[in-house]
Amino acid sequence: GQNIDQPTEMTATEGAIVQINCTYQTSGFNGLFWYQQHAGEAPTFLSYNVLDGLEEKGRFSSFLSRSKGYSYLLLKELQMKDSASYLCAPEDSNYQLIWGAGTKLIIKP
Amino acid sequence: IAGITQAPTSQILAAGRRMTLRCTQDMRHNAMYWYRQDLGLGLRLIHYSNTAGTTGKGEVPDGYSVSRANTDDFPLTLASAVPSQTSVYFCASSVGSYNEQFFGPGTRLTVL
C-alpha cells in the first residue's frame, strides 16, 4: 500500500531552525514535492526533489534519500509568516501525487 | 483572470441535490485535478485529466463526475450530494502530469 508519515504538529521559535521529516512508501517513485498551506488557503509549491541530496532555495531546503524513503524540509531563520502546514507529496510511478496529512508548524515569538 | 479560479467560494447544499463546482485556468496547462481535503487527512484525488478530452479516476471518484471539453475548464459534478461529501474542494493544474501543481482557492461545500 501507499503510506506517508509526517508529524502532526511542531512548534518552533522565531529566528530558529526547524526540520520537518517525511517517510513514505509508494507504488514506484518519481520524485517528491513539498507544499506550504496557510490556514484557509490553497497549497503552494515549495520544492521538488528527484535525486538524492539537499536542494537549497533561500531559507528553505529539502533533502531526499530514495533508498530510505525519507525526505525532510529544513526551514531556517523562522519568521512568524512561516506558521502554516507543510505537505509532503511523493509522486508514484504514474506521476500521481500521494499527499501526507501535513505538519502544522506553529512559530512562537 | 490570472492563474486558476474556482466557483463558488462556498456553498451549503441539501442532500440529494445536484451541484457543479467550476474550475477555470488561463495558463494553458495540459493537466488538471480535483482534490478534496478533510481535517486530519491528506489531499485526496477525485478525478484528473492529463489533456483536454481525457479524464481519469483518482483515489475517491465515487459520487463525482468530471468533463474536460477544452483546455481551460474542468467542472466537477456531484450528481446527488450526500453529507459525507462535505469538504473543501481544490482544483489544480500543471503543465504536464509530472510538474508542480498550481491550486485554485478552493470551494467549501457543506451538504446537509
Side-chain angles (χ1 to χ4, degrees), chain A residues 40-78:
Chain A
E41 298 183 7
T44 55
F45 170 80
L46 285 178
S47 67
Y48 178 56
N49 292 65
V50 176
L51 302 176
D52 285 358
L54 188 68
E55 295 269 349
E56 298 189 68
K57 189 186 293 186
R59 294 189 299 113
F60 292 8
S61 302
S62 55
F63 172 84
L64 177 66
S65 169
R66 296 173 69 113
S67 62
K68 294 182 179 179
Y70 168 68
S71 175
Y72 68 73
L73 182 68
L74 190 71
L75 291 74
K76 303 176 185 176
E77 302 170 15
L78 286 170

PDB file of all heavy atoms in Angstrom, chain A residues 40-78:
ATOM      1  N   GLY A  40      -6.828  28.023   5.748  1.00  0.00           N
ATOM      2  CA  GLY A  40      -7.885  28.591   4.933  1.00  0.00           C
ATOM      3  C   GLY A  40      -7.478  28.940   3.516  1.00  0.00           C
ATOM      4  O   GLY A  40      -8.271  29.536   2.786  1.00  0.00           O
ATOM      5  N   GLU A  41      -6.257  28.562   3.146  1.00  0.00           N
ATOM      6  CA  GLU A  41      -5.771  28.891   1.801  1.00  0.00           C
ATOM      7  C   GLU A  41      -5.394  27.632   1.031  1.00  0.00           C
ATOM      8  O   GLU A  41      -5.426  26.524   1.557  1.00  0.00           O
ATOM      9  CB  GLU A  41      -4.566  29.834   1.894  1.00  0.00           C
ATOM     10  CG  GLU A  41      -4.896  31.166   2.547  1.00  0.00           C
ATOM     11  CD  GLU A  41      -3.705  32.118   2.571  1.00  0.00           C
ATOM     12  OE1 GLU A  41      -2.663  31.791   1.964  1.00  0.00           O
ATOM     13  OE2 GLU A  41      -3.845  33.173   3.197  1.00  0.00           O
ATOM     14  N   ALA A  42      -5.035  27.823  -0.232  1.00  0.00           N
ATOM     15  CA  ALA A  42      -4.631  26.708  -1.080  1.00  0.00           C
ATOM     16  C   ALA A  42      -3.162  26.368  -0.857  1.00  0.00           C
ATOM     17  O   ALA A  42      -2.370  27.228  -0.464  1.00  0.00           O
ATOM     18  CB  ALA A  42      -4.861  27.067  -2.548  1.00  0.00           C
ATOM     19  N   PRO A  43      -2.769  25.132  -1.114  1.00  0.00           N
ATOM     20  CA  PRO A  43      -1.345  24.782  -1.060  1.00  0.00           C
ATOM     21  C   PRO A  43      -0.551  25.528  -2.127  1.00  0.00           C
ATOM     22  O   PRO A  43      -1.061  25.784  -3.227  1.00  0.00           O
ATOM     23  CB  PRO A  43      -1.337  23.281  -1.346  1.00  0.00           C
ATOM     24  CG  PRO A  43      -2.729  22.814  -1.067  1.00  0.00           C
ATOM     25  CD  PRO A  43      -3.610  23.963  -1.413  1.00  0.00           C
ATOM     26  N   THR A  44       0.691  25.867  -1.794  1.00  0.00           N
ATOM     27  CA  THR A  44       1.588  26.484  -2.769  1.00  0.00           C
ATOM     28  C   THR A  44       2.898  25.713  -2.806  1.00  0.00           C
ATOM     29  O   THR A  44       3.375  25.228  -1.765  1.00  0.00           O
ATOM     30  CB  THR A  44       1.871  27.967  -2.455  1.00  0.00           C
ATOM     31  OG1 THR A  44       2.364  28.068  -1.121  1.00  0.00           O
ATOM     32  CG2 THR A  44       0.617  28.797  -2.588  1.00  0.00           C
ATOM     33  N   PHE A  45       3.486  25.601  -3.968  1.00  0.00           N
ATOM     34  CA  PHE A  45       4.685  24.811  -4.209  1.00  0.00           C
ATOM     35  C   PHE A  45       5.894  25.383  -3.492  1.00  0.00           C
ATOM     36  O   PHE A  45       6.142  26.582  -3.501  1.00  0.00           O
ATOM     37  CB  PHE A  45       4.942  24.772  -5.718  1.00  0.00           C
ATOM     38  CG  PHE A  45       6.270  24.193  -6.115  1.00  0.00           C
ATOM     39  CD1 PHE A  45       6.450  22.820  -6.144  1.00  0.00           C
ATOM     40  CD2 PHE A  45       7.329  25.020  -6.462  1.00  0.00           C
ATOM     41  CE1 PHE A  45       7.670  22.279  -6.521  1.00  0.00           C
ATOM     42  CE2 PHE A  45       8.544  24.495  -6.840  1.00  0.00           C
ATOM     43  CZ  PHE A  45       8.721  23.118  -6.869  1.00  0.00           C
ATOM     44  N   LEU A  46       6.673  24.492  -2.841  1.00  0.00           N
ATOM     45  CA  LEU A  46       7.929  24.898  -2.216  1.00  0.00           C
ATOM     46  C   LEU A  46       9.129  24.276  -2.924  1.00  0.00           C
ATOM     47  O   LEU A  46      10.094  24.960  -3.245  1.00  0.00           O
ATOM     48  CB  LEU A  46       7.961  24.466  -0.752  1.00  0.00           C
ATOM     49  CG  LEU A  46       7.126  25.255   0.256  1.00  0.00           C
ATOM     50  CD1 LEU A  46       7.264  24.640   1.640  1.00  0.00           C
ATOM     51  CD2 LEU A  46       7.517  26.721   0.265  1.00  0.00           C
ATOM     52  N   SER A  47       9.093  22.950  -3.133  1.00  0.00           N
ATOM     53  CA  SER A  47      10.283  22.296  -3.667  1.00  0.00           C
ATOM     54  C   SER A  47       9.918  20.961  -4.305  1.00  0.00           C
ATOM     55  O   SER A  47       8.853  20.395  -4.030  1.00  0.00           O
ATOM     56  CB  SER A  47      11.313  22.062  -2.566  1.00  0.00           C
ATOM     57  OG  SER A  47      10.830  21.112  -1.632  1.00  0.00           O
ATOM     58  N   TYR A  48      10.838  20.492  -5.145  1.00  0.00           N
ATOM     59  CA  TYR A  48      10.689  19.198  -5.792  1.00  0.00           C
ATOM     60  C   TYR A  48      12.060  18.534  -5.843  1.00  0.00           C
ATOM     61  O   TYR A  48      13.017  19.126  -6.343  1.00  0.00           O
ATOM     62  CB  TYR A  48      10.141  19.367  -7.203  1.00  0.00           C
ATOM     63  CG  TYR A  48       9.984  18.091  -7.994  1.00  0.00           C
ATOM     64  CD1 TYR A  48       9.225  17.041  -7.499  1.00  0.00           C
ATOM     65  CD2 TYR A  48      10.581  17.943  -9.249  1.00  0.00           C
ATOM     66  CE1 TYR A  48       9.065  15.873  -8.228  1.00  0.00           C
ATOM     67  CE2 TYR A  48      10.424  16.771  -9.987  1.00  0.00           C
ATOM     68  CZ  TYR A  48       9.658  15.745  -9.485  1.00  0.00           C
ATOM     69  OH  TYR A  48       9.490  14.595 -10.209  1.00  0.00           O
ATOM     70  N   ASN A  49      12.164  17.327  -5.280  1.00  0.00           N
ATOM     71  CA  ASN A  49      13.415  16.570  -5.298  1.00  0.00           C
ATOM     72  C   ASN A  49      13.247  15.310  -6.132  1.00  0.00           C
ATOM     73  O   ASN A  49      12.277  14.574  -5.947  1.00  0.00           O
ATOM     74  CB  ASN A  49      13.821  16.163  -3.873  1.00  0.00           C
ATOM     75  CG  ASN A  49      14.211  17.338  -3.011  1.00  0.00           C
ATOM     76  OD1 ASN A  49      13.384  18.184  -2.709  1.00  0.00           O
ATOM     77  ND2 ASN A  49      15.462  17.386  -2.609  1.00  0.00           N
ATOM     78  N   VAL A  50      14.197  15.097  -7.027  1.00  0.00           N
ATOM     79  CA  VAL A  50      14.220  13.867  -7.819  1.00  0.00           C
ATOM     80  C   VAL A  50      15.412  13.009  -7.424  1.00  0.00           C
ATOM     81  O   VAL A  50      15.301  11.803  -7.246  1.00  0.00           O
ATOM     82  CB  VAL A  50      14.299  14.180  -9.328  1.00  0.00           C
ATOM     83  CG1 VAL A  50      14.426  12.880 -10.113  1.00  0.00           C
ATOM     84  CG2 VAL A  50      13.070  14.937  -9.782  1.00  0.00           C
ATOM     85  N   LEU A  51      16.562  13.658  -7.266  1.00  0.00           N
ATOM     86  CA  LEU A  51      17.799  12.950  -6.930  1.00  0.00           C
ATOM     87  C   LEU A  51      18.076  13.033  -5.433  1.00  0.00           C
ATOM     88  O   LEU A  51      17.601  13.946  -4.746  1.00  0.00           O
ATOM     89  CB  LEU A  51      18.968  13.569  -7.702  1.00  0.00           C
ATOM     90  CG  LEU A  51      18.825  13.575  -9.220  1.00  0.00           C
ATOM     91  CD1 LEU A  51      20.003  14.313  -9.853  1.00  0.00           C
ATOM     92  CD2 LEU A  51      18.706  12.169  -9.756  1.00  0.00           C
ATOM     93  N   ASP A  52      18.851  12.080  -4.941  1.00  0.00           N
ATOM     94  CA  ASP A  52      19.266  12.118  -3.547  1.00  0.00           C
ATOM     95  C   ASP A  52      20.061  13.382  -3.264  1.00  0.00           C
ATOM     96  O   ASP A  52      20.838  13.850  -4.106  1.00  0.00           O
ATOM     97  CB  ASP A  52      20.148  10.902  -3.226  1.00  0.00           C
ATOM     98  CG  ASP A  52      19.343   9.626  -3.090  1.00  0.00           C
ATOM     99  OD1 ASP A  52      18.101   9.687  -3.200  1.00  0.00           O
ATOM    100  OD2 ASP A  52      19.954   8.569  -2.876  1.00  0.00           O
ATOM    101  N   GLY A  53      19.895  13.908  -2.062  1.00  0.00           N
ATOM    102  CA  GLY A  53      20.694  15.050  -1.659  1.00  0.00           C
ATOM    103  C   GLY A  53      19.849  16.227  -1.249  1.00  0.00           C
ATOM    104  O   GLY A  53      18.624  16.142  -1.140  1.00  0.00           O
ATOM    105  N   LEU A  54      20.535  17.326  -1.010  1.00  0.00           N
ATOM    106  CA  LEU A  54      19.927  18.536  -0.485  1.00  0.00           C
ATOM    107  C   LEU A  54      19.764  19.572  -1.594  1.00  0.00           C
ATOM    108  O   LEU A  54      20.701  19.862  -2.326  1.00  0.00           O
ATOM    109  CB  LEU A  54      20.817  19.096   0.633  1.00  0.00           C
ATOM    110  CG  LEU A  54      20.272  20.263   1.441  1.00  0.00           C
ATOM    111  CD1 LEU A  54      19.087  19.810   2.290  1.00  0.00           C
ATOM    112  CD2 LEU A  54      21.367  20.859   2.327  1.00  0.00           C
ATOM    113  N   GLU A  55      18.563  20.123  -1.679  1.00  0.00           N
ATOM    114  CA  GLU A  55      18.271  21.221  -2.603  1.00  0.00           C
ATOM    115  C   GLU A  55      17.990  22.458  -1.766  1.00  0.00           C
ATOM    116  O   GLU A  55      17.086  22.445  -0.939  1.00  0.00           O
ATOM    117  CB  GLU A  55      17.041  20.905  -3.456  1.00  0.00           C
ATOM    118  CG  GLU A  55      17.200  19.732  -4.391  1.00  0.00           C
ATOM    119  CD  GLU A  55      17.707  20.170  -5.755  1.00  0.00           C
ATOM    120  OE1 GLU A  55      17.739  21.378  -6.022  1.00  0.00           O
ATOM    121  OE2 GLU A  55      18.073  19.277  -6.547  1.00  0.00           O
ATOM    122  N   GLU A  56      18.780  23.506  -1.981  1.00  0.00           N
ATOM    123  CA  GLU A  56      18.614  24.714  -1.171  1.00  0.00           C
ATOM    124  C   GLU A  56      17.953  25.810  -1.989  1.00  0.00           C
ATOM    125  O   GLU A  56      18.317  26.047  -3.147  1.00  0.00           O
ATOM    126  CB  GLU A  56      19.978  25.188  -0.650  1.00  0.00           C
ATOM    127  CG  GLU A  56      20.641  24.162   0.255  1.00  0.00           C
ATOM    128  CD  GLU A  56      21.882  24.696   0.947  1.00  0.00           C
ATOM    129  OE1 GLU A  56      21.747  25.582   1.805  1.00  0.00           O
ATOM    130  OE2 GLU A  56      22.976  24.219   0.610  1.00  0.00           O
ATOM    131  N   LYS A  57      16.981  26.468  -1.350  1.00  0.00           N
ATOM    132  CA  LYS A  57      16.269  27.561  -2.012  1.00  0.00           C
ATOM    133  C   LYS A  57      15.979  28.631  -0.969  1.00  0.00           C
ATOM    134  O   LYS A  57      14.947  28.613  -0.312  1.00  0.00           O
ATOM    135  CB  LYS A  57      14.976  27.020  -2.629  1.00  0.00           C
ATOM    136  CG  LYS A  57      14.259  28.001  -3.535  1.00  0.00           C
ATOM    137  CD  LYS A  57      12.910  27.452  -4.007  1.00  0.00           C
ATOM    138  CE  LYS A  57      13.037  26.280  -4.925  1.00  0.00           C
ATOM    139  NZ  LYS A  57      11.702  25.867  -5.469  1.00  0.00           N
ATOM    140  N   GLY A  58      16.909  29.547  -0.810  1.00  0.00           N
ATOM    141  CA  GLY A  58      16.738  30.612   0.169  1.00  0.00           C
ATOM    142  C   GLY A  58      16.725  30.060   1.584  1.00  0.00           C
ATOM    143  O   GLY A  58      17.594  29.277   1.964  1.00  0.00           O
ATOM    144  N   ARG A  59      15.708  30.416   2.358  1.00  0.00           N
ATOM    145  CA  ARG A  59      15.626  29.945   3.740  1.00  0.00           C
ATOM    146  C   ARG A  59      15.155  28.506   3.826  1.00  0.00           C
ATOM    147  O   ARG A  59      15.244  27.885   4.875  1.00  0.00           O
ATOM    148  CB  ARG A  59      14.669  30.833   4.543  1.00  0.00           C
ATOM    149  CG  ARG A  59      15.128  32.263   4.726  1.00  0.00           C
ATOM    150  CD  ARG A  59      14.246  33.012   5.721  1.00  0.00           C
ATOM    151  NE  ARG A  59      12.856  33.089   5.295  1.00  0.00           N
ATOM    152  CZ  ARG A  59      11.845  32.483   5.911  1.00  0.00           C
ATOM    153  NH1 ARG A  59      12.065  31.749   6.992  1.00  0.00           N
ATOM    154  NH2 ARG A  59      10.605  32.630   5.472  1.00  0.00           N
ATOM    155  N   PHE A  60      14.628  27.976   2.728  1.00  0.00           N
ATOM    156  CA  PHE A  60      14.083  26.619   2.731  1.00  0.00           C
ATOM    157  C   PHE A  60      15.012  25.670   1.975  1.00  0.00           C
ATOM    158  O   PHE A  60      15.511  26.005   0.898  1.00  0.00           O
ATOM    159  CB  PHE A  60      12.695  26.601   2.079  1.00  0.00           C
ATOM    160  CG  PHE A  60      11.621  27.324   2.859  1.00  0.00           C
ATOM    161  CD1 PHE A  60      11.914  28.072   3.975  1.00  0.00           C
ATOM    162  CD2 PHE A  60      10.301  27.248   2.452  1.00  0.00           C
ATOM    163  CE1 PHE A  60      10.926  28.736   4.683  1.00  0.00           C
ATOM    164  CE2 PHE A  60       9.292  27.906   3.145  1.00  0.00           C
ATOM    165  CZ  PHE A  60       9.596  28.659   4.263  1.00  0.00           C
ATOM    166  N   SER A  61      15.204  24.481   2.539  1.00  0.00           N
ATOM    167  CA  SER A  61      15.974  23.433   1.866  1.00  0.00           C
ATOM    168  C   SER A  61      15.188  22.141   1.978  1.00  0.00           C
ATOM    169  O   SER A  61      14.458  21.938   2.950  1.00  0.00           O
ATOM    170  CB  SER A  61      17.341  23.248   2.527  1.00  0.00           C
ATOM    171  OG  SER A  61      18.084  24.438   2.533  1.00  0.00           O
ATOM    172  N   SER A  62      15.361  21.265   0.994  1.00  0.00           N
ATOM    173  CA  SER A  62      14.695  19.970   1.051  1.00  0.00           C
ATOM    174  C   SER A  62      15.702  18.887   0.716  1.00  0.00           C
ATOM    175  O   SER A  62      16.527  19.038  -0.172  1.00  0.00           O
ATOM    176  CB  SER A  62      13.501  19.923   0.099  1.00  0.00           C
ATOM    177  OG  SER A  62      13.893  20.246  -1.213  1.00  0.00           O
ATOM    178  N   PHE A  63      15.579  17.783   1.463  1.00  0.00           N
ATOM    179  CA  PHE A  63      16.503  16.659   1.327  1.00  0.00           C
ATOM    180  C   PHE A  63      15.735  15.413   0.939  1.00  0.00           C
ATOM    181  O   PHE A  63      14.594  15.200   1.383  1.00  0.00           O
ATOM    182  CB  PHE A  63      17.234  16.425   2.655  1.00  0.00           C
ATOM    183  CG  PHE A  63      18.070  15.173   2.676  1.00  0.00           C
ATOM    184  CD1 PHE A  63      19.350  15.175   2.171  1.00  0.00           C
ATOM    185  CD2 PHE A  63      17.552  13.990   3.194  1.00  0.00           C
ATOM    186  CE1 PHE A  63      20.124  14.017   2.182  1.00  0.00           C
ATOM    187  CE2 PHE A  63      18.303  12.824   3.205  1.00  0.00           C
ATOM    188  CZ  PHE A  63      19.597  12.841   2.698  1.00  0.00           C
ATOM    189  N   LEU A  64      16.366  14.566   0.142  1.00  0.00           N
ATOM    190  CA  LEU A  64      15.744  13.309  -0.272  1.00  0.00           C
ATOM    191  C   LEU A  64      16.743  12.165  -0.188  1.00  0.00           C
ATOM    192  O   LEU A  64      17.891  12.307  -0.619  1.00  0.00           O
ATOM    193  CB  LEU A  64      15.225  13.413  -1.708  1.00  0.00           C
ATOM    194  CG  LEU A  64      14.620  12.143  -2.304  1.00  0.00           C
ATOM    195  CD1 LEU A  64      13.329  11.760  -1.580  1.00  0.00           C
ATOM    196  CD2 LEU A  64      14.367  12.307  -3.800  1.00  0.00           C
ATOM    197  N   SER A  65      16.278  11.025   0.351  1.00  0.00           N
ATOM    198  CA  SER A  65      17.000   9.767   0.278  1.00  0.00           C
ATOM    199  C   SER A  65      16.042   8.745  -0.316  1.00  0.00           C
ATOM    200  O   SER A  65      15.122   8.277   0.373  1.00  0.00           O
ATOM    201  CB  SER A  65      17.479   9.302   1.647  1.00  0.00           C
ATOM    202  OG  SER A  65      17.948   7.957   1.574  1.00  0.00           O
ATOM    203  N   ARG A  66      16.228   8.411  -1.572  1.00  0.00           N
ATOM    204  CA  ARG A  66      15.318   7.486  -2.259  1.00  0.00           C
ATOM    205  C   ARG A  66      15.410   6.088  -1.661  1.00  0.00           C
ATOM    206  O   ARG A  66      14.401   5.405  -1.490  1.00  0.00           O
ATOM    207  CB  ARG A  66      15.649   7.434  -3.748  1.00  0.00           C
ATOM    208  CG  ARG A  66      15.429   8.756  -4.470  1.00  0.00           C
ATOM    209  CD  ARG A  66      15.922   8.705  -5.893  1.00  0.00           C
ATOM    210  NE  ARG A  66      15.095   7.831  -6.711  1.00  0.00           N
ATOM    211  CZ  ARG A  66      14.319   8.234  -7.705  1.00  0.00           C
ATOM    212  NH1 ARG A  66      14.268   9.515  -8.011  1.00  0.00           N
ATOM    213  NH2 ARG A  66      13.609   7.377  -8.407  1.00  0.00           N
ATOM    214  N   SER A  67      16.616   5.657  -1.305  1.00  0.00           N
ATOM    215  CA  SER A  67      16.792   4.303  -0.782  1.00  0.00           C
ATOM    216  C   SER A  67      16.127   4.132   0.573  1.00  0.00           C
ATOM    217  O   SER A  67      15.668   3.040   0.916  1.00  0.00           O
ATOM    218  CB  SER A  67      18.277   3.956  -0.689  1.00  0.00           C
ATOM    219  OG  SER A  67      18.931   4.829   0.218  1.00  0.00           O
ATOM    220  N   LYS A  68      16.023   5.207   1.354  1.00  0.00           N
ATOM    221  CA  LYS A  68      15.422   5.121   2.688  1.00  0.00           C
ATOM    222  C   LYS A  68      13.964   5.547   2.686  1.00  0.00           C
ATOM    223  O   LYS A  68      13.297   5.447   3.725  1.00  0.00           O
ATOM    224  CB  LYS A  68      16.209   5.992   3.667  1.00  0.00           C
ATOM    225  CG  LYS A  68      17.628   5.502   3.914  1.00  0.00           C
ATOM    226  CD  LYS A  68      18.338   6.372   4.931  1.00  0.00           C
ATOM    227  CE  LYS A  68      19.748   5.843   5.186  1.00  0.00           C
ATOM    228  NZ  LYS A  68      20.489   6.674   6.163  1.00  0.00           N
ATOM    229  N   GLY A  69      13.456   6.020   1.564  1.00  0.00           N
ATOM    230  CA  GLY A  69      12.077   6.506   1.536  1.00  0.00           C
ATOM    231  C   GLY A  69      11.875   7.637   2.516  1.00  0.00           C
ATOM    232  O   GLY A  69      10.901   7.653   3.281  1.00  0.00           O
ATOM    233  N   TYR A  70      12.780   8.605   2.466  1.00  0.00           N
ATOM    234  CA  TYR A  70      12.836   9.645   3.507  1.00  0.00           C
ATOM    235  C   TYR A  70      13.149  10.997   2.885  1.00  0.00           C
ATOM    236  O   TYR A  70      13.992  11.110   1.988  1.00  0.00           O
ATOM    237  CB  TYR A  70      13.906   9.261   4.517  1.00  0.00           C
ATOM    238  CG  TYR A  70      14.295  10.337   5.500  1.00  0.00           C
ATOM    239  CD1 TYR A  70      13.397  10.774   6.470  1.00  0.00           C
ATOM    240  CD2 TYR A  70      15.565  10.896   5.468  1.00  0.00           C
ATOM    241  CE1 TYR A  70      13.761  11.751   7.381  1.00  0.00           C
ATOM    242  CE2 TYR A  70      15.934  11.873   6.369  1.00  0.00           C
ATOM    243  CZ  TYR A  70      15.034  12.298   7.327  1.00  0.00           C
ATOM    244  OH  TYR A  70      15.393  13.268   8.227  1.00  0.00           O
ATOM    245  N   SER A  71      12.477  12.001   3.391  1.00  0.00           N
ATOM    246  CA  SER A  71      12.732  13.372   2.981  1.00  0.00           C
ATOM    247  C   SER A  71      12.574  14.271   4.192  1.00  0.00           C
ATOM    248  O   SER A  71      11.892  13.922   5.157  1.00  0.00           O
ATOM    249  CB  SER A  71      11.730  13.791   1.897  1.00  0.00           C
ATOM    250  OG  SER A  71      11.871  15.160   1.557  1.00  0.00           O
ATOM    251  N   TYR A  72      13.206  15.421   4.152  1.00  0.00           N
ATOM    252  CA  TYR A  72      12.915  16.443   5.153  1.00  0.00           C
ATOM    253  C   TYR A  72      12.931  17.816   4.519  1.00  0.00           C
ATOM    254  O   TYR A  72      13.584  18.052   3.507  1.00  0.00           O
ATOM    255  CB  TYR A  72      13.849  16.372   6.362  1.00  0.00           C
ATOM    256  CG  TYR A  72      15.303  16.719   6.122  1.00  0.00           C
ATOM    257  CD1 TYR A  72      15.728  18.034   5.909  1.00  0.00           C
ATOM    258  CD2 TYR A  72      16.279  15.721   6.172  1.00  0.00           C
ATOM    259  CE1 TYR A  72      17.056  18.339   5.714  1.00  0.00           C
ATOM    260  CE2 TYR A  72      17.624  16.025   5.994  1.00  0.00           C
ATOM    261  CZ  TYR A  72      18.012  17.318   5.758  1.00  0.00           C
ATOM    262  OH  TYR A  72      19.339  17.618   5.567  1.00  0.00           O
ATOM    263  N   LEU A  73      12.196  18.710   5.159  1.00  0.00           N
ATOM    264  CA  LEU A  73      12.165  20.124   4.789  1.00  0.00           C
ATOM    265  C   LEU A  73      12.817  20.888   5.926  1.00  0.00           C
ATOM    266  O   LEU A  73      12.441  20.713   7.087  1.00  0.00           O
ATOM    267  CB  LEU A  73      10.720  20.586   4.581  1.00  0.00           C
ATOM    268  CG  LEU A  73      10.505  22.027   4.134  1.00  0.00           C
ATOM    269  CD1 LEU A  73      11.012  22.221   2.710  1.00  0.00           C
ATOM    270  CD2 LEU A  73       9.033  22.392   4.232  1.00  0.00           C
ATOM    271  N   LEU A  74      13.796  21.709   5.603  1.00  0.00           N
ATOM    272  CA  LEU A  74      14.524  22.476   6.608  1.00  0.00           C
ATOM    273  C   LEU A  74      14.195  23.948   6.425  1.00  0.00           C
ATOM    274  O   LEU A  74      14.370  24.496   5.330  1.00  0.00           O
ATOM    275  CB  LEU A  74      16.033  22.240   6.446  1.00  0.00           C
ATOM    276  CG  LEU A  74      16.938  22.769   7.544  1.00  0.00           C
ATOM    277  CD1 LEU A  74      16.747  21.925   8.807  1.00  0.00           C
ATOM    278  CD2 LEU A  74      18.399  22.737   7.106  1.00  0.00           C
ATOM    279  N   LEU A  75      13.707  24.567   7.471  1.00  0.00           N
ATOM    280  CA  LEU A  75      13.369  25.978   7.417  1.00  0.00           C
ATOM    281  C   LEU A  75      14.303  26.730   8.362  1.00  0.00           C
ATOM    282  O   LEU A  75      14.365  26.438   9.557  1.00  0.00           O
ATOM    283  CB  LEU A  75      11.923  26.223   7.842  1.00  0.00           C
ATOM    284  CG  LEU A  75      10.800  25.730   6.938  1.00  0.00           C
ATOM    285  CD1 LEU A  75      10.639  24.223   6.994  1.00  0.00           C
ATOM    286  CD2 LEU A  75       9.496  26.419   7.291  1.00  0.00           C
ATOM    287  N   LYS A  76      15.014  27.718   7.832  1.00  0.00           N
ATOM    288  CA  LYS A  76      15.960  28.495   8.638  1.00  0.00           C
ATOM    289  C   LYS A  76      15.407  29.885   8.906  1.00  0.00           C
ATOM    290  O   LYS A  76      14.517  30.364   8.212  1.00  0.00           O
ATOM    291  CB  LYS A  76      17.288  28.626   7.886  1.00  0.00           C
ATOM    292  CG  LYS A  76      17.941  27.322   7.495  1.00  0.00           C
ATOM    293  CD  LYS A  76      19.200  27.586   6.669  1.00  0.00           C
ATOM    294  CE  LYS A  76      19.796  26.292   6.159  1.00  0.00           C
ATOM    295  NZ  LYS A  76      20.968  26.528   5.271  1.00  0.00           N
ATOM    296  N   GLU A  77      15.974  30.529   9.926  1.00  0.00           N
ATOM    297  CA  GLU A  77      15.604  31.920  10.251  1.00  0.00           C
ATOM    298  C   GLU A  77      14.086  32.090  10.246  1.00  0.00           C
ATOM    299  O   GLU A  77      13.530  32.930   9.542  1.00  0.00           O
ATOM    300  CB  GLU A  77      16.246  32.883   9.259  1.00  0.00           C
ATOM    301  CG  GLU A  77      17.755  32.800   9.203  1.00  0.00           C
ATOM    302  CD  GLU A  77      18.354  33.573   8.051  1.00  0.00           C
ATOM    303  OE1 GLU A  77      17.647  34.416   7.435  1.00  0.00           O
ATOM    304  OE2 GLU A  77      19.527  33.328   7.708  1.00  0.00           O
ATOM    305  N   LEU A  78      13.438  31.265  11.042  1.00  0.00           N
ATOM    306  CA  LEU A  78      11.984  31.216  11.035  1.00  0.00           C
ATOM    307  C   LEU A  78      11.351  32.580  11.278  1.00  0.00           C
ATOM    308  O   LEU A  78      11.800  33.363  12.121  1.00  0.00           O
ATOM    309  CB  LEU A  78      11.491  30.233  12.089  1.00  0.00           C
ATOM    310  CG  LEU A  78      11.679  28.754  11.756  1.00  0.00           C
ATOM    311  CD1 LEU A  78      11.387  27.899  12.972  1.00  0.00           C
ATOM    312  CD2 LEU A  78      10.806  28.352  10.579  1.00  0.00           C
TER     313      LEU A  78
END
